[in-house]
Amino acid sequence: MAEAHQAVAFQFTVTPEGIDLQLSHQALSEIYLSGVRSWKKRVIRLKNNVITGVYPASPSSWLFVVIAILATMYTRSDPSMGLIAKIQEHLPVSSNLYSSGAHLSGRKPLLYSYQGSLPNLPVPVVKDTVKRYLESVRPLMDDTQYERTTKLAEEFESSLGNRLQWYLKLKSLWAANYVSDWWEEYVYLRGRSPIMVNSNYYGMDFLFVTPTPIQSARAGNSIHSFFLYRRKLNKEEIKPSRIPGTVIPLCAAQCERIFHTTRIPGEETDTVQHWQDSDYIVVYHKGRYFRLRVYQAGRLLSPREIEFQIQRILDDPAAPSKGEAHLGALTAGDRIPWAKARTKFFSTGLNKRSLDCIEKAAFFVTLDDDEQGMMGDDPAASLDNYAKNLLHGKCYDRWFDKSFSVVFYKNGKCGINAEHSWADAPVLAHVWEYALATDSFQLGYNTEGHCKGEVDSSLPKPQKLNWEITPECEEQISQSLDVAQKLADDIDFHVFSFQEFGKGKVKKCRVSPDAFIQMCLQLAYFREQNNFCLTYEASMTRLFREGRTETVRSCSNESSAFVRAFEGGEAPDVCRRLLRAASEKHQLLYRMAMTGGGIDRHLFCLYVVSKYLGVESPFLKEVLSEPWRLSTSQTGVQQVELFDLVNHPEYISCGGGFGPVADDGYGVSYSLIGDNMINFHISCKHSCPQTDAHKFGSQIKKALHDIINLLSGAQPEPKKPEAGRPEVKKDQ
């Protein structure tokens, strides 16, 4: 997803002094520190691990069994009188690791019940990674380029590669995951460019409905829902995520930092700071920051009480402090100026106390005076504006460093903006789905659109934060705002909901829906650019402990062969055969990425080791500098049981999106909703004359029709001139 932007032209420097032995010591030191961080996480969760580690049994029953086993071992007796040995003769060699105990216990698994059974991410063989890499770049290079790249790869494989691999194997034995901590640090936290647009991403509200038009009421229900989720999270009562349709669990480690987490700027590298608890949120409205406590005498405020408090903020006539209105722009601009300003102007006194309040809040809330959603005479354009607003707002009315910020608009619409370093999009999407469903289906509103319940009018008013902003600090705020505004103005967005068919029809054609979309994107890009490009599709590695993401290189020899044949007018039977081969190859690449056989994270870590050793690799340098001109990601619905997609398909999020990865490329996020809807979020830059989000959207629509017609045996539509903006249904 958005991490592809940071991975392009990835660079960092390590400058240990001395001979090669000392350089190797630097690499070993980093591996040691990775292991220390990994073990610290395990120690912190020791109490819960005692409980979850014996799942599905209870701790008391586990203790009883341990004592009984020790007693039988001491007395050298067999309490089963030979029965266990007899049963073992008839047991299969393997059994289902995750589900065998579940049938014997009535206890529900806790969030971290399966963490101890998750394997470590394996380190691929260098030879295999190099081979798969060369295969992935073949359709992007002519013979001369490919021959040169092959020579570099072979030299790397036969010499430096094995030396670097030794360090990775050592790290994999010591740390829980040989990738994740380096990925977080070097791809995210060491990035010095703005995280707004380049790293942060967003999620949208329901597409066709707005539960209430009252801004404060929508905030009341939603904020209450977020804290209900946090309560379940603290008690580990959230059902562990699994691969859909299986009992195979996914790592839940990223859930630990959802709330009261902030990215702290530094001059060389940022850090992620997480606090154990917070009983308040910080609310931004018309240039003012307010501290809103959501607990009173240990009790979570009701939705109606939170609505009451939010309305107090909306009605508060106080003006912003001097320099306060645009303060959030510091988090939207370049990181080094923000780090220096934080140290110089916010490290003591009143400013430090107010900044601490923001950074330690459970999450951040913006009360926006704009109206957003699908509305007006041009609903397509309004969706585009909605996406842009969620991605960057006014560049000063979000706190982009917070783990997530929730935006509530004047007309009752809402959305979410998330910082990317602490976790990947599916983790926050899980929270967002819960909040949307709880808001609309469980809490609900009265006939006037207000939250249900009574109000305790004696609640203390939200506390306005105060600041002492000097002219020098104001100048830095202004400079950061200029940088952020130029970046925001350059973003072109197009969002549309395709409803002519969906994954239901694709499945009937016996093709993977994700592979189908990826083939459509390849066809659309080729038609627009007349070439192929390195394509990034985000996959996850949460089958492994502390796993995050891996790249699926969607542009393959098979996909390019299909596109060339289809555009070259080959017979339908030939094109169908090539399409199915390309789809099967894509599924294979996706499975390999999920199961630790991907290319890019392995090459990334080899590059990190090479920098610590102080050695140059022309091969790795070239690999890590290749631009991803087409960066894609699928946003799936994880908690389908919370929504009734058959009777109420309108009650589903429109999905989310992210900024363009390359200056001359596209960012494409898509979500397959139910059987008959596919939502697309397309981003690029106005400053690039070769890209246009609306035109690319039109190409995607045409590709969707052409490929489904090919699969179903229908004749493809004749080529037509470029059409204007597609029609989108209005909010009903």
Side-chain angles (χ1 to χ4, degrees):
M1 197 174 166
E3 70 266 13
H5 186 283
Q6 301 300 100
V8 173
F10 157 76
Q11 292 182 7
F12 73 99
T13 56
V14 179
T15 57
E17 299 177 355
I19 60 175
D20 186 65
L21 178 62
Q22 291 174 309
L23 291 170
S24 299
H25 178 268
Q26 177 74 9
L28 291 171
S29 175
E30 285 300 317
I31 291 171
Y32 168 76
L33 291 175
S34 294
V36 169
R37 287 191 293 268
S38 177
W39 282 99
K40 277 184 177 179
K41 291 180 182 178
R42 301 183 190 189
V43 172
I44 289 172
R45 282 208 308 263
L46 180 60
K47 180 180 178 180
N48 282 330
N49 282 347
V50 170
I51 299 174
T52 61
V54 299
Y55 175 81
S58 64
S60 57
S61 63
W62 174 80
L63 183 61
F64 173 79
V65 170
V66 169
I67 294 173
I69 291 174
L70 291 174
T72 57
M73 290 175 63
Y74 180 76
T75 59
R76 296 184 180 182
S77 62
D78 181 6
S80 70
M81 295 179 291
L83 182 60
I84 292 177
K86 193 70 176 175
I87 292 175
Q88 285 179 334
E89 295 177 6
H90 301 280
L91 285 177
V93 175
S94 62
S95 60
N96 192 315
L97 176 65
Y98 303 112
S99 63
S100 59
H103 299 293
L104 305 176
S105 170
R107 291 183 61 221
K108 293 182 179 180
L110 299 179
L111 177 61
Y112 301 113
S113 289
Y114 300 115
Q115 288 298 103
S117 62
L118 294 175
N120 287 4
L121 182 68
V123 182
V125 178
V126 172
K127 182 178 179 180
D128 294 341
T129 296
V130 169
K131 180 182 177 181
R132 289 195 287 266
Y133 169 78
L134 290 174
E135 182 183 355
S136 73
V137 298
R138 187 64 187 95
L140 309 175
M141 297 180 176
D142 59 30
D143 291 343
T144 302
Q145 292 172 319
Y146 185 70
E147 184 178 347
R148 174 184 169 276
T149 302
T150 300
K151 185 178 179 181
L152 289 175
E154 289 174 348
E155 290 176 355
F156 171 79
E157 179 187 333
S158 62
S159 56
L160 182 60
N162 291 326
R163 181 186 175 196
L164 303 180
Q165 179 81 345
W166 183 85
Y167 287 95
L168 287 190
K169 287 184 175 180
L170 182 63
K171 183 183 179 185
S172 70
L173 294 173
W174 171 240
N177 191 295
Y178 80 93
V179 175
S180 293
D181 61 330
W182 284 351
W183 187 252
E184 178 177 309
E185 179 178 358
Y186 295 116
V187 171
Y188 291 116
L189 298 179
R190 283 185 181 253
R192 302 294 80 197
S193 61
I195 61 174
M196 183 198 78
V197 172
N198 292 331
S199 182
N200 284 33
Y201 57 94
Y202 68 86
M204 281 187 171
D205 193 4
F206 298 127
L207 180 60
F208 298 111
V209 296
T210 306
T212 177
I214 302 174
Q215 183 178 21
S216 58
R218 189 72 195 279
N221 264 6
S222 297
I223 293 169
H224 185 84
S225 299
F226 277 109
F227 278 94
L228 291 180
Y229 187 96
R230 192 184 73 162
R231 179 185 293 169
K232 291 168 68 72
L233 178 66
N234 290 341
K235 294 181 179 180
E236 301 185 14
E237 293 175 350
I238 295 170
K239 185 179 179 181
S241 295
R242 294 181 172 89
I243 294 179
T246 74
V247 296
I248 302 174
L250 302 177
C251 179
Q254 294 179 52
C255 297
E256 296 170 355
R257 298 187 291 182
I258 294 175
F259 295 95
H260 20 88
T261 297
T262 301
R263 176 171 175 159
I264 307 296
E267 292 192 36
E268 292 186 4
T269 181
D270 294 354
T271 55
V272 176
Q273 183 71 47
H274 172 72
W275 289 269
Q276 289 302 311
D277 194 22
S278 179
D279 64 354
Y280 68 91
I281 58 175
V282 167
V283 181
Y284 176 93
H285 178 243
K286 287 188 175 181
R288 296 96 39 88
Y289 293 85
F290 293 86
R291 175 175 179 161
L292 171 55
R293 293 191 180 276
V294 292
Y295 282 84
Q296 176 75 1
R299 173 185 64 85
L300 176 62
L301 298 185
S302 70
R304 185 71 183 89
E305 289 171 324
I306 297 175
E307 176 190 353
F308 176 73
Q309 296 289 69
I310 292 291
Q311 192 61 48
R312 279 178 158 179
I313 294 174
L314 291 170
D315 295 339
D316 192 310
S321 304
K322 185 177 182 295
E324 179 183 15
H326 295 167
L327 181 62
L330 291 170
T331 69
D334 291 321
R335 303 304 291 176
I336 293 176
W338 170 210
K340 290 180 177 179
R342 188 178 187 275
T343 301
K344 188 172 184 178
F345 305 116
F346 299 91
S347 58
T348 59
L350 180 63
N351 287 350
K352 184 182 188 304
R353 291 194 295 273
S354 294
L355 180 62
D356 282 349
C357 186
I358 293 176
E359 292 179 342
K360 295 179 181 179
F363 54 90
F364 191 83
V365 167
T366 294
L367 301 176
D368 202 307
D369 285 335
D370 293 338
E371 295 186 355
Q372 295 292 345
M374 189 184 295
M375 58 189 184
D377 296 330
D378 192 350
S382 65
L383 270 183
D384 301 344
N385 293 333
Y386 183 20
K388 276 181 64 68
N389 189 281
L390 283 174
L391 187 65
H392 55 66
K394 298 180 180 68
C395 302
Y396 57 78
D397 55 350
R398 316 278 189 266
W399 200 265
F400 292 101
D401 288 351
K402 285 299 292 181
S403 55
F404 67 92
S405 300
V406 191
V407 185
F408 297 100
Y409 296 101
K410 190 175 181 180
N411 60 341
K413 279 290 182 186
C414 65
I416 197 164
N417 180 287
E419 200 277 316
H420 209 324
S421 65
W422 61 274
D424 300 307
V427 176
L428 188 66
H430 195 275
V431 189
W432 187 233
E433 288 174 7
Y434 179 90
L436 288 176
T438 304
D439 166 22
S440 300
F441 300 132
Q442 295 185 27
L443 300 177
Y445 301 88
N446 63 25
T447 55
E448 296 176 345
H450 292 284
C451 298
K452 298 175 181 177
E454 302 298 325
V455 177
D456 179 2
S457 57
S458 66
L459 289 173
K461 288 185 177 182
Q463 176 189 355
K464 183 181 178 301
L465 302 185
N466 294 308
W467 310 86
E468 294 175 347
I469 307 298
T470 64
E472 186 181 358
C473 183
E474 282 190 276
E475 177 61 26
Q476 182 55 65
I477 293 171
S478 178
Q479 291 177 12
S480 294
L481 181 58
D482 287 343
V483 169
Q485 195 65 60
K486 288 177 182 177
L487 178 59
D489 291 344
D490 195 24
I491 299 301
D492 182 21
F493 244 103
H494 182 44
V495 179
F496 66 92
S497 181
F498 184 85
Q499 300 176 57
E500 297 177 43
F501 64 86
K503 68 179 180 183
K505 188 171 183 178
V506 176
K507 285 182 175 180
K508 289 180 181 178
C509 297
R510 302 190 308 279
V511 172
S512 157
D514 183 69
F516 174 84
I517 298 294
Q518 288 293 328
M519 295 308 111
C520 289
L521 294 175
Q522 290 299 315
L523 180 58
Y525 188 89
F526 184 84
R527 284 173 169 174
E528 183 183 77
Q529 303 291 336
N530 199 32
N531 58 39
F532 298 105
C533 72
L534 193 61
T535 304
Y536 185 112
E537 181 185 6
S539 173
M540 60 87 181
T541 55
R542 290 172 63 198
L543 289 170
F544 304 96
R545 191 174 300 168
E546 297 182 20
R548 291 201 60 163
T549 61
E550 178 58 275
T551 305
V552 180
R553 294 183 168 226
S554 302
C555 182
S556 62
N557 290 316
E558 290 78 3
S559 68
S560 59
F562 158 68
V563 171
R564 290 190 186 280
F566 192 76
E567 288 299 277
E570 293 285 349
D573 287 347
V574 174
C575 293
R576 269 192 291 272
R577 176 174 55 80
L578 292 173
L579 173 61
R580 292 191 183 281
S583 299
E584 289 171 4
K585 181 56 178 288
H586 181 79
Q587 286 182 279
L588 174 63
L589 293 174
Y590 205 102
R591 285 195 296 269
M592 291 180 68
M594 286 181 60
T595 55
I599 301 169
D600 290 275
R601 300 304 178 269
H602 186 206
L603 292 174
F604 159 79
C605 287
L606 290 171
Y607 182 74
V608 172
V609 175
S610 75
K611 301 301 287 186
Y612 280 124
L613 293 178
V615 295
E616 288 294 328
S617 168
F619 171 68
L620 291 177
K621 186 175 181 180
E622 187 166 302
V623 170
L624 270 295
S625 63
E626 293 170 339
W628 302 93
R629 291 191 173 88
L630 187 55
S631 180
T632 71
S633 178
Q634 180 185 172
T635 305
V637 180
Q638 302 174 65
Q639 303 166 90
V640 181
E641 68 277 6
L642 298 181
F643 304 92
D644 185 354
L645 298 181
V646 176
N647 298 316
H648 299 286
E650 69 277 13
Y651 278 94
I652 194 66
S653 169
C654 188
F658 51 93
V661 167
D663 291 339
D664 58 349
Y666 291 105
V668 181
S669 176
Y670 55 93
S671 53
L672 298 110
I673 307 299
D675 285 335
N676 300 297
M677 182 187 296
I678 310 173
N679 296 326
F680 287 89
H681 299 245
I682 306 167
S683 64
C684 63
K685 291 192 174 182
H686 290 297
S687 57
C688 177
Q690 286 79 38
T691 58
D692 184 299
H694 291 86
K695 289 182 179 179
F696 191 51
S698 297
Q699 290 287 8
I700 292 174
K701 286 183 177 181
K702 189 175 188 310
L704 289 167
H705 282 293
D706 287 349
I707 294 183
I708 199 66
N709 287 338
L710 175 68
L711 287 170
S712 60
Q715 292 296 320
E717 297 180 2
K719 292 185 178 181
K720 299 177 182 179
E722 288 290 339
R725 288 186 174 179
E727 291 293 327
V728 182
K729 293 181 180 180
K730 294 184 179 181
D731 195 343
Q732 296 177 352

